[in-house]
Amino acid sequence: MILKENHSLSNYNTFKINVKAKKFVEIKSIDELKIVVENYSEEKILFLGGGSNVLFTEDYDGLVVYLNLKGKSLKEIDSDFSEVTANAGENWNELVNYCLENNLGGIENLSLIPGNVGSAPIQNIGAYGRELKDVFISCEVFDLENFSFKTYYLEDCQFEYRNSIFKKHKNLIVVSISLRLSNHNHVINSSYGGIEKELENKGIDKPTIQDISKVVCQIRKRKLPDPEKIGNAGSFFKNPVVNMKKMESIKKKFYDIPHFKISDTEYKIPAAWLIEKAGLKGKVFGKIGIHKTQPLVLVNYGGGHGKDLFKLSISIKEIISKIFNIDLETEVNII
Ligand code: FAD
Ligand code: EPU
């Protein structure tokens, strides 16, 4: 374990923002984690996984801990279900592929989401009709406030759309997660966003979990910019949720606004549509901008500053609020 000073974080965030951490350490075991938190408890600490959901707006004046705990295992719960356990530093998509290789169903719709396993519960990752909570059993958490480990079960985690207890309580560090996956009779979810159409084009009428994964990967590669080529952190904003009364009043002015019923009283509106309708899709401002095919994604074309991306996000919020009277909420963690 080597403590580095004034360490560049440009390879530790997918926005590729070139800021420095006053101190930086990579941790590969629980023992190292204990040593670090005991010795640096007076410091401001940031735990980082793949850096695919953060925006650094300035140098980090504290200790950045890259939590690189590896290891995963598999055990049968009964003839129908298995439990997969993975440590925080495992790559999420590699875990998905490992489950697919073992023909375990439940996270195939979450294929190709960047980042590490330990970050998956933080915003209850979701895509294509599935969320982490749908398969979540528990996670092991290290509490920085009392230096102790605790198991958080599904009911403890307060999972919501892109939210959890861990977003509110930054003292809780996820060190491993356990998921419950099906051994057979997999529940196939192909209802969301073009999966069905894509399967039809391929002539697949009884898709396997492997087919679903392949199709999800294809759609994602088509729609979302690859962070290896253009710096980004996926959707910058959450899709806003409004009540029925508000939905009716917006529809009067914007009759073609897409909206999806998510409960008896609430609708979700695609923020991408709002940003496109506001005429902002594809706009470039120097080295940063709003992506040309997915306007929910803010991008760094190279050499852009986090502060400027943050300012751009504020301007977008103001414009959307003025036109639609809707307050966009930021999904990305601003640091
Ligand atoms: P980081 O960016 O490293 O961390 C995110 C936050 O979690 C930070 O606040 C960090 O301090 C905290 N954190 C990290 N590790 C821990 C830990 N072990 N314990 C406690 N706190 C921790 N997200 C979706 O939900 N669905 C998508 O479809 C999706 N698509 C994406 C597509 C692209 C191209 C990109 C770039 C991002 C996308 N995201 C998506 C967002 C991102 O991939 C997820 O939020 C992912 O879980 C972040 O993982 P990470 O390891 O990179 O987290
Ligand atoms: N749309 C437009 N213009 C565009 C693109 C999209 O109007 O240029 C509208 C369309 O109405 C479209 C709708 O937006 O039907 C939804 O678009 P898409 O299916 O691409 O999904 P999204 O709402 O933009 C959400 C998640 C993604 C997740 C996908 C698939 C949020 C904030 N984002 O995006 O998650 O991968 O659905 O499930 O919920 C992330 O969180 O980082 C992320 C990428």
Side-chain angles (χ1 to χ4, degrees):
M1 186 172 55
I2 302 163
L3 185 78
K4 294 171 180 164
E5 293 196 358
N6 289 321
H7 190 64
S8 169
L9 294 176
S10 57
N11 289 330
Y12 291 89
N13 72 97
T14 58
F15 256 127
K16 302 283 179 215
I17 304 294
N18 191 13
V19 288
K20 287 193 173 112
K22 189 171 135 198
K23 289 177 181 167
F24 178 93
V25 71
E26 178 177 342
I27 280 178
K28 291 187 177 162
S29 70
I30 294 290
D31 285 343
E32 289 184 349
L33 171 64
K34 284 182 189 159
I35 294 169
V36 163
V37 294
E38 274 159 25
N39 285 299
Y40 301 103
S41 56
E42 79 283 3
E43 295 269 8
K44 199 172 129 185
I45 293 192
L46 175 73
F47 281 80
L48 208 53
S52 65
N53 207 20
V54 289
L55 174 66
F56 287 105
T57 55
E58 57 189 6
D59 286 342
Y60 191 75
D61 186 28
L63 174 68
V64 171
V65 179
Y66 178 57
L67 199 59
N68 200 10
L69 305 173
K70 295 287 192 199
K72 53 183 179 283
S73 63
L74 199 58
K75 72 171 186 217
E76 230 175 56
I77 299 174
D78 54 33
S79 60
D80 296 332
F81 292 98
S82 290
E83 178 173 340
V84 170
T85 299
N87 287 335
E90 288 288 334
N91 175 270
W92 171 260
N93 192 49
E94 282 172 20
L95 181 68
V96 173
N97 289 335
Y98 171 75
C99 295
L100 290 169
E101 280 156 22
N102 285 284
N103 199 33
L104 296 174
I107 51 175
E108 56 282 357
N109 294 53
L110 305 179
S111 295
L112 220 59
I113 296 181
N116 290 355
V117 160
S119 324
I122 312 303
Q123 69 162 11
N124 175 30
I125 55 169
Y128 296 90
R130 283 270 163 86
E131 287 184 337
L132 184 77
K133 72 168 171 43
D134 303 332
V135 292
F136 190 86
I137 298 175
S138 65
C139 59
E140 286 303 302
V141 165
F142 185 77
D143 189 339
L144 294 173
E145 269 171 13
N146 53 27
F147 290 9
S148 69
F149 288 93
K150 197 179 160 197
T151 305
Y152 276 68
Y153 292 95
L154 177 64
E155 58 274 23
D156 305 319
C157 295
Q158 300 172 15
F159 286 132
E160 292 170 0
Y161 165 60
R162 298 295 188 274
N163 206 2
S164 76
I165 191 170
F166 310 111
K167 265 201 136 168
K168 293 161 224 154
H169 298 286
K170 308 270 185 206
N171 55 307
L172 303 175
I173 306 306
V174 176
V175 296
S176 70
I177 70 171
S178 293
L179 309 177
R180 180 176 176 269
L181 302 176
S182 52
N183 298 334
H184 52 85
N185 294 340
H186 305 303
V187 180
I188 300 292
N189 184 343
S190 59
S191 58
Y192 185 95
I195 298 183
E196 210 103 77
K197 203 168 147 219
E198 197 89 13
L199 288 167
E200 215 177 283
N201 290 343
K202 291 178 184 297
I204 300 170
D205 58 351
K206 282 203 175 76
T208 61
I209 51 174
Q210 290 79 8
D211 291 328
I212 295 289
S213 171
K214 248 184 232 155
V215 163
V216 166
C217 289
Q218 278 164 358
I219 300 173
R220 292 184 69 98
K221 280 182 188 158
R222 213 169 45 222
K223 282 191 169 180
L224 290 161
D226 177 357
E228 289 298 319
K229 294 180 186 140
I230 305 175
N232 77 88
S235 302
F236 199 91
F237 306 101
K238 295 183 191 179
N239 285 325
V241 172
V242 297
N243 64 28
M244 212 183 284
K245 196 171 159 219
K246 183 139 187 182
M247 192 68 243
E248 287 309 320
S249 95
I250 299 169
K251 264 166 49 183
K252 276 187 195 139
K253 214 164 159 198
F254 303 97
Y255 66 93
D256 57 342
I257 188 167
H259 51 289
F260 306 94
K261 201 168 180 180
I262 54 162
S263 74
D264 285 347
T265 54
E266 289 174 317
Y267 292 87
K268 200 182 261 184
I269 298 172
W273 187 89
L274 301 174
I275 297 170
E276 178 168 0
K277 192 78 178 173
L280 298 168
K281 183 171 172 171
K283 290 264 185 224
V284 178
F285 306 93
K287 293 171 176 168
I288 62 169
I290 300 164
H291 194 251
K292 61 179 189 301
T293 60
Q294 178 37 288
L296 198 44
V297 179
L298 303 191
V299 290
N300 174 16
Y301 290 107
H305 292 292
K307 264 204 172 81
D308 294 332
L309 276 157
F310 180 64
K311 275 189 208 152
L312 174 59
S313 76
I314 300 291
S315 305
I316 294 170
K317 282 185 181 184
E318 283 168 1
I319 293 167
I320 298 303
S321 168
K322 215 166 163 186
I323 302 176
F324 302 101
N325 191 22
I326 290 176
D327 293 328
L328 287 184
E329 216 183 301
T330 304
E331 175 188 306
V332 171
N333 300 279
I334 310 294
I335 295 166

